[in-house]
Amino acid sequence: MSECGAMVENSDLLWRAVEKEDQIMESAVVIQINTHYDVCIMANSEKTISFRAQSAQIDALDSLASAQSRSRSYVINEAIANYIALHEYQDELVREGLEDMRKGRTITNDELLKRIQKTGRAGR
């Protein structure tokens, strides 16, 4: 069993499998591996994007992908997922802070400095 889908050895079975999956999905990619065929289906939720980047960034990206034995697309998708997760986390902290302000759970800067000095952590 492959990462993409069922492995098919007979080309007639392959064609029928692709036709059947095409009724459900937008597209199918068939890759020959030795005497086997892998049927990879691109889900409706996947989209292709294009953007410009500096060649040094692309070279660095390709170097990272190569070092991880991964594709450029894999590394880009990981970077996007990490970016989204980080910004969702930061946005949630901002929302929590705003909610604390609305509920009056705040202290002044002077009070904060007094608490820090009281713990002995000031000036570190």
Side-chain angles (χ1 to χ4, degrees), residues 7 30 78:
M7 211 179 258
V30 180
E78 286 294 302

Side-chain angles (χ1 to χ4, degrees), residues 5 19-20 33 39 52 60 63 79 83 107 109 120-121 124:
E19 286 179 344
K20 182 178 178 187
I33 302 176
V39 179
R52 296 174 88 50
S63 178
Y83 180 89
I107 60 172
N109 189 48
R121 296 183 183 192
R124 284 190 181 178

Side-chain angles (χ1 to χ4, degrees), residues 89-99:
Y89 172 73
Q90 289 175 338
D91 289 347
E92 179 60 28
L93 291 178
V94 169
R95 281 191 289 277
E96 288 174 7
L98 291 172
E99 183 64 24

Side-chain angles (χ1 to χ4, degrees), residues 11-27:
S11 62
D12 291 334
L13 291 175
L14 173 67
W15 183 249
R16 282 194 293 262
V18 171
E19 286 179 344
K20 182 178 178 187
E21 292 299 328
D22 277 344
Q23 295 170 1
I24 300 168
M25 306 303 243
E26 287 183 351
S27 61

Side-chain angles (χ1 to χ4, degrees), residues 64-101:
L64 288 171
S66 177
Q68 298 175 25
S69 298
R70 297 290 189 165
S71 68
R72 181 189 290 172
S73 290
Y74 176 87
V75 176
I76 290 171
N77 277 302
E78 286 294 302
I80 291 170
N82 288 331
Y83 180 89
I84 290 169
L86 172 66
H87 287 276
E88 285 176 342
Y89 172 73
Q90 289 175 338
D91 289 347
E92 179 60 28
L93 291 178
V94 169
R95 281 191 289 277
E96 288 174 7
L98 291 172
E99 183 64 24
D100 284 343
M101 283 178 52

